[in-house]
Amino acid sequence: MRSRRQSRTLLVSVLVAAVIMPAAPAFANTPDRVPVRWLEGTRSTHVVHDGTDTGPADPAAQVTAQVFLAGDSRSLAAYARAVSDPRDPRYGHYLTPEQTRARFGPAQHRIDAVSAWLRGTGLSIVSAGSRAVVVQGTVAQAGEAFGTRFRTYTLYGTPFRAAADPVTVPAAVGQDVLTVTGLTVATGRPPGPPPGTGSRKASRAAGGGAVPTSPCPDHYGDTPATDLPPAYGHPAQWAPCGYTPRQVRDAYGITGTGLTGKGVTIGIISIGNEINTLPDANRFATEHGEPPFAPGQFTAYLPADARPEEASGEFAMDVQAAHAIAPEANIAFVVGSRARYGDGVLDSIVQIVDRHLADVVSGSIIVGDTPGSAPDAIAAYERAFQEAAVEGITFTFASGDSGGGGTDDGIRTVEYPASSPWVTAVGGTTLAIGPGNSYRWEIGWATDEVPLSGDGSSWEAAPPGYQGKASGGGTSTVFPQPFYQRGVVPASFAGSPAMRTLPDVAALADPDLCLLIGETEYNVDDSLSYQVGNGGGTSLSSPAFAGVEALLVQAHGPLGFANPALYARPLSAYHAIAGNPAGTPDTVAFAVVKYGFADLITPGQYADANLVYAPGYNTVTGLGSPTRALIESFRRHRP
């Protein structure tokens, strides 16, 4: 789930809990009011700073707002670090959700105080709990409660109603309020995209000429593409048309460990009720010699307002990727709803944390960029991740598929939640599996590609061609460098002052050389059919690495927030991801056929994707990809 990246003018360099908004307008800036602690550079401030003001909002219009509660945030963060750090004597001393709420949540009299203030402004209490007080009322009532004017804006064609001024609350409840959401909302749909005038597929269709058929070898290196023009002075290799789960387990050293994820639950965060997720996974497993899900091994947690979606998609792929790596792990398929907190992804996360639905969680989801379009509830996200750490739950998120992102006014943005210092960000690789399912090589997923010319005699341009997709990564301008990255991430990457850098780890992601997935998809005539093809993107690498983490939990016990333990391992526990400079005689390249046309793929083109590489760590793959040594290092008998 993406947010559009646009120009930013605000540099943010402190954590959410420490950010103070500028002074409120005169009518709200009285001694008994204080600004709400939240992050500048969210979607709401983006609307106000960059949108076109179209006038005052209707004072009678309805508002639903979420007032998230802070509780004992300082102690929560401190304990989350302690139980996550293998060097701390409290490491692994996890709490239950009930203990977490009792120890770090707001006391009932503080919930009552916040509720009384809100009720006194005329707002109606929808719900009041330890996480948030949700209220409804008019724009006029919300303006009085939060010390702000409401105005209307248009941003990129979408109409919004927004809190035009910094939000304030009475000083008596200032320390109770973590953040406030729901004040700025879209009030209409964005305009539709203009008619297409020339997709890459359409423009190539007129080229003519015979297209070679990919032989789809079982392994990389089996079949030189001698029927295609050479690249870098030698024939390219035909790529396998997708790997089986067994091939990936063999290549990453999982086979032979005796670990299958048995007894561990992997949570999959979903924003859609993809009803064919389980039947598709079982069909694929049966047809490819894998165990289907046993009764009770897959559980869907669905809100009442979840509409069924017949076509499978990203979240069905998540389930199959996790199942491929840890075939006996349970799956908790958690679909969020906007009904409780106005944010479906946050709702999924909170469900998992409050009910301890999983041991390891994967999110192939991006909810914004920081700085610039972070979710308004980012402070609530961070608190939920810290609670997960305290409860021994591991959260893993895809680092995104946009390389190092864009640079706006000298500020580079990175994806969120992957950029949170409390989650494991997973980047992507291009993985070559050779004969005997051997690990041949692995390169950061940052590809260039060039199509075959119309007459088949040459490549349309000199290889490597033009930039394709790439693993997300980079350095945050929002979150300071966490303790576990010190001494590992090169100072030239982390900057000065040192900041959070991502990703942390990586797994296979290149859709041109990746894991087979079976899904129910729409055909061109809008009919549905089951199809097998390549998965790909960091939306695949995240659940794949979550599968590896499920194996680690099986071997070690709960990991909780895994990064300190992952960074504590020697670099030899990971596959070191090498560079692949284009233009040299030993440049790796391979051929694929997609959309009916032959392409040459050159992986590992970091510079083209605004990514940086150094031995030991890079902003494409972090520490590297999993190995047998990494898995064995988490055995219970190991220190």
Side-chain angles (χ1 to χ4, degrees), residues 199-463:
S199 68
R200 179 173 169 232
K201 182 177 179 181
S203 66
R204 293 175 63 190
V211 178
T213 300
S214 172
C216 292
D218 291 335
H219 302 93
Y220 185 89
D222 285 354
T223 311
T226 54
D227 47 350
L228 295 175
Y232 309 110
H234 54 80
Q237 292 286 335
W238 279 110
C241 299
Y243 296 130
T244 66
R246 174 61 187 264
Q247 286 181 290
V248 176
R249 292 196 301 270
D250 287 356
Y252 279 148
I254 295 168
T255 305
T257 63
L259 300 173
T260 60
K262 188 174 180 62
V264 181
T265 299
I266 301 173
I268 300 296
I269 296 173
S270 176
I271 59 172
N273 178 19
E274 297 174 357
I275 60 175
N276 283 307
T277 294
L278 181 57
D280 285 350
N282 283 339
R283 177 172 176 176
F284 179 87
T286 300
E287 293 177 352
H288 290 80
E290 294 290 309
F293 282 95
Q297 192 182 352
F298 177 96
T299 304
Y301 296 87
L302 307 174
D305 59 353
R307 296 185 303 171
E309 300 175 10
E310 291 186 293
S312 301
E314 191 156 287
F315 309 110
M317 180 177 71
D318 291 357
V319 170
Q320 293 186 41
H323 189 59
I325 302 298
E328 290 195 285
N330 299 319
I331 296 291
F333 188 74
V334 185
V335 180
S337 169
R338 293 177 58 86
R340 282 205 298 172
Y341 303 118
D343 185 322
V345 177
L346 178 62
D347 181 56
S348 292
I349 294 167
V350 166
Q351 283 190 68
I352 293 168
V353 172
D354 285 352
R355 300 164 65 187
H356 205 119
L357 297 179
D359 305 294
V360 176
V361 183
S362 175
S364 295
I365 287 175
I366 295 164
V367 297
D369 305 319
T370 57
S373 62
D376 293 341
I378 189 170
Y381 275 85
E382 291 297 291
R383 180 181 176 88
F385 293 142
Q386 291 169 11
E387 290 173 346
V390 165
E391 296 171 18
I393 302 173
T394 305
F395 270 89
T396 297
F397 279 90
S399 68
D401 299 350
S402 300
T407 302
D408 299 321
D409 299 316
I411 303 171
R412 190 174 298 285
T413 61
V414 290
E415 318 284 18
Y416 187 85
S419 59
S420 167
W422 292 101
V423 308
T424 299
V426 185
T429 70
T430 301
L431 171 64
I433 301 177
N437 298 343
S438 60
Y439 181 97
R440 288 284 301 275
W441 51 258
E442 204 164 8
I443 292 170
W445 177 46
T447 61
D448 279 12
E449 57 186 300
V450 61
L452 187 65
S453 64
D455 62 7
S457 64
S458 63
W459 302 109
E460 281 191 3

Side-chain angles (χ1 to χ4, degrees), residues 12 16 35 89 99 103 172 239 243 255 337 342 345 381 424 496 536 553 573 625:
V12 184
V16 173
Q99 291 170 327
R103 186 165 171 177
Y243 296 130
T255 305
S337 169
V345 177
Y381 275 85
T424 299
S496 180
V553 171
S625 65

Side-chain angles (χ1 to χ4, degrees), residues 542-628:
S542 176
F545 198 88
V548 173
E549 289 175 319
L551 306 180
L552 303 185
V553 171
Q554 183 184 4
H556 172 272
L559 289 181
F561 176 45
N563 281 9
L566 293 173
Y567 277 83
R569 264 58 192 175
L571 290 177
S572 59
Y574 300 91
H575 286 120
I577 309 300
N580 186 41
T584 60
D586 58 352
T587 301
V588 172
F590 56 89
V592 297
V593 173
K594 52 186 179 182
Y595 308 122
F597 300 91
D599 280 3
L600 179 75
I601 307 296
T602 305
Q605 304 310 298
Y606 306 114
D608 288 354
N610 296 325
L611 298 165
V612 286
Y613 165 82
Y617 182 92
N618 62 67
T619 58
V620 195
T621 61
L623 299 169
S625 65
T627 67
R628 177 73 167 268

